[in-house]
């Protein structure tokens, strides 16, 4: 397969943007109904790629499909929870022939629940985070990557976190799941080193999405305080990096990217005005 790669920077009022042109790929994005996943869907669609979008909210998936198809994108939606291995297997194994050769897998589905000390944590919350952030990622990897190996082409983009580098107060289990994403990304990269498959681990810092609303179970005031006094990243910022990595020349593997807001130095050090 011959890949072409070029990007154009154009000045805008709020800074710059890059436009990447490449041959059309099939991109599967998990957790595509909001946040980083939705931003990735829009950015890959704008790049001309075909999209397989998964998520738990079927009606929201339908809305996103309508939005993107009206702009000329080819979109297939699959409504399932990545924690449900049987459904995941069913949907991936029964993909229509024209959708089977997935070029890019974006393992984005993930969440954080609660901010309690580890010795006071909620066991159900822990199970949900582990089953989604780790087991769900493993399930999708196991279902999609064998086809990539057979075709000797493909790219896995795992959405990890700065939280996977070092724990922060109250982060305990969530941080552990994102540390696992790093280890699994590194391990997979080793496993496919004899192929043309690439593996990227994106590690966002403070990103203003629905993440904190979910963590604090809809407490909007508490969620808003997370981003108080700093201009955080957006889902688009992370999606830009994902699309860039997916369109790098064949011999270039962007293995890991730590993306922080300008006034964030680490997972726990943030300068607020």
């Amino acid at each position: 397969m011959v890949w072409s790669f070029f990007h154009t920077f154009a000045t805008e009022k709020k800074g710059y943007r890059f436009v990447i042109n490449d041959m059309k790929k099939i991109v599967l994005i998990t957790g595509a109904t909001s946040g980083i996943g939705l931003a990735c869907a829009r950015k890959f669609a704008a790049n001309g790629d075909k999209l397989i979008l998964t998520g738990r909210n079927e009606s929201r998936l339908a809305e996103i499909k309508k939005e993107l198809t009206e702009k000329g994108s080819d979109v297939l939606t699959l409504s399932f929870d990545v924690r449900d291995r049987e459904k995941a297997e069913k949907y991936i194994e029964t993909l229509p022939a024209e959708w089977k050769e997935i070029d890019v897998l974006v393992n984005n589905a993930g969440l954080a629940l609660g901010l309690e000390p580890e010795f006071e944590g909620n066991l159900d919350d822990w199970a949900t985070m582990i089953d989604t952030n780790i087991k769900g990622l493993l399930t999708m990897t196991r279902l999609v990557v064998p086809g990539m190996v057979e075709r000797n082409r493909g790219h896995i983009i795992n959405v990890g976190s700065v939280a996977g580098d070092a724990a922060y107060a109250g982060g305990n289990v969530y941080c552990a799941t994102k540390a696992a994403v790093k280890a699994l990304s590194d391990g997979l990269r080793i496993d496919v080193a004899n192929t043309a498959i690439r593996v990227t681990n994106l590690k966002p810092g403070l990103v203003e999405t629905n993440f904190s609303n979910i963590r604090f179970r809809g407490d909007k005031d508490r969620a808003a305080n997370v981003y108080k006094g700093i201009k955080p990243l957006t889902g688009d910022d992370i999606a830009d990096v994902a699309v860039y990595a997916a369109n790098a020349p064949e011999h270039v593997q962007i293995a890991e990217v730590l993306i922080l807001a300008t006034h964030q130095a680490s997972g726990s050090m943030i300068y607020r005005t």
Side-chain angles (χ1 to χ4, degrees):
M1 177 178 292
V2 179
W3 296 81
S4 64
F5 173 82
F6 63 91
H7 58 273
T8 303
F9 289 92
T11 302
E12 293 183 334
K13 290 182 180 179
K14 295 184 179 179
Y16 65 82
R17 64 182 176 87
F18 60 79
V19 180
I20 297 175
N21 296 282
D22 198 357
M23 63 189 303
K24 183 176 290 190
K25 297 181 291 293
I26 297 176
V27 182
L28 191 159
I29 304 169
T30 67
T33 57
S34 65
I36 294 171
L38 176 55
C40 284
R42 288 170 173 157
K43 294 282 184 176
F44 277 105
N47 194 52
D49 297 316
K50 297 174 63 176
L51 303 177
I52 302 174
L53 306 180
T54 84
R56 294 175 296 172
N57 189 329
E58 188 169 1
S59 62
R60 183 67 182 127
L61 282 173
E63 291 173 1
I64 296 165
K65 179 176 181 177
K66 182 175 184 293
E67 171 197 333
L68 297 179
T69 54
E70 286 178 351
K71 295 178 180 178
S73 300
D74 293 327
V75 181
L76 175 68
T77 59
L78 307 174
S79 182
F80 67 91
D81 189 326
V82 293
R83 292 179 297 169
D84 190 334
R85 191 172 69 187
E86 289 186 3
K87 278 192 176 180
E89 290 175 346
K90 172 187 173 183
Y91 279 114
I92 300 304
E93 291 174 359
T94 60
L95 282 171
E98 65 271 23
W99 290 95
K100 282 187 178 295
E101 295 191 2
I102 297 166
D103 298 292
V104 181
L105 168 63
V106 181
N107 276 317
N108 166 74
L111 77 167
L113 293 171
L115 205 61
E116 298 83 10
E118 191 169 327
F119 58 88
E120 294 177 352
N122 183 297
L123 292 171
D124 290 333
D125 287 350
W126 293 354
T128 298
M129 286 187 281
I130 292 168
D131 289 350
T132 305
N133 301 358
I134 302 176
K135 292 182 179 179
L137 179 147
L138 282 170
T139 293
M140 296 305 298
T141 300
R142 182 64 180 86
L143 291 173
V144 174
V145 175
M148 294 181 174
V149 172
E150 183 179 347
R151 295 185 295 275
N152 194 35
R153 61 181 171 83
H155 195 156
I156 302 91
I157 300 176
N158 292 330
V159 179
S161 171
V162 63
D165 288 343
Y168 56 77
N172 43 73
V173 174
Y174 173 71
C175 294
T177 65
K178 291 305 183 177
V181 171
K182 173 176 171 52
L184 293 170
S185 300
D186 292 346
L188 180 60
R189 196 178 302 110
I190 293 168
D191 292 338
V192 298
N194 64 326
T195 74
I197 297 168
R198 302 180 292 187
V199 181
T200 299
N201 179 24
L202 299 183
K203 304 191 300 183
L206 204 61
V207 184
E208 189 168 12
T209 62
N210 202 38
F211 177 88
S212 291
N213 282 328
I214 293 172
R215 165 169 261 173
F216 300 127
R217 295 176 173 80
D219 187 333
K220 294 183 179 180
D221 291 337
R222 194 176 179 191
N225 281 335
V226 173
Y227 312 107
K228 189 174 182 179
I230 185 173
K231 184 174 182 179
L233 301 169
T234 68
D236 283 345
D237 296 325
I238 311 307
D240 280 341
V241 180
V243 174
Y244 186 93
N247 288 279
E250 280 189 324
H251 69 287
V252 177
Q253 178 171 213
I254 300 175
E256 187 170 282
V257 185
L258 176 63
I259 312 129
L260 302 176
T262 298
H263 293 295
Q264 180 177 15
S266 68
S268 57
M269 197 288 158
I270 300 170
Y271 175 76
R272 302 178 189 271
T273 57

